[in-house]
Amino acid sequence: MKTKYYKPLPECLTIQNSKVHGLGLFALEKILKETNLGTSHIFHVDFENGYIRTPLGGFVNHSEKPNCEVKTTTEGLDLVTLCDIKKGEELTLKYNLYDPTDE
């Protein structure tokens, strides 16, 4: 019998040290433009800004020239690529849900 295990990230991504900030999401292989990588934020009224971040949302770093965007779904927000992502490239997002520098 094949057992399904929870995988916090798609097979094409990993978390590693980032030149942008701390840890970030990096491509393990080429990822094509308009690829939906999965849910980055889940709607939940009891959390700050109304969202729970998944590993996708928790490790994607900010950029003024992002290579990903979020798209609204019925459950939350999905991380979608804006262009082809090269193997080894960091995935970035222009934050618009909250100010990540606000401590």
Side-chain angles (χ1 to χ4, degrees), residues 79-91:
L79 188 66
V80 179
T81 58
L82 290 170
C83 58
D84 288 351
I85 309 290
K86 297 174 189 165
K87 180 180 178 178
E89 185 176 352
E90 182 170 6
L91 281 72

Side-chain angles (χ1 to χ4, degrees), residues 60-81:
V60 65
N61 279 316
H62 173 80
S63 174
E64 288 297 317
K65 295 180 181 177
N67 54 20
C68 295
E69 66 181 345
V70 290
K71 294 205 176 184
T72 303
T73 69
T74 56
E75 286 104 28
L77 303 172
D78 281 4
L79 188 66
V80 179
T81 58

Side-chain angles (χ1 to χ4, degrees), residues 4-69:
K4 290 187 178 183
Y5 294 100
Y6 168 72
K7 295 181 182 178
L9 296 174
E11 297 283 334
C12 62
L13 296 179
T14 191
I15 297 167
Q16 60 188 46
N17 289 326
S18 167
K19 291 181 182 177
V20 175
H21 181 266
L23 298 172
L25 292 176
F26 288 82
L28 290 171
E29 60 192 50
K30 181 179 179 179
I31 304 170
L32 298 177
K33 178 181 180 178
E34 298 180 3
T35 297
N36 186 327
L37 297 166
T39 303
S40 62
H41 295 73
I42 300 168
F43 293 130
H44 196 290
V45 296
D46 292 337
F47 283 77
E48 184 178 0
N49 302 310
Y51 297 98
I52 299 170
R53 286 184 286 175
T54 69
L56 280 174
F59 287 98
V60 65
N61 279 316
H62 173 80
S63 174
E64 288 297 317
K65 295 180 181 177
N67 54 20
C68 295
E69 66 181 345

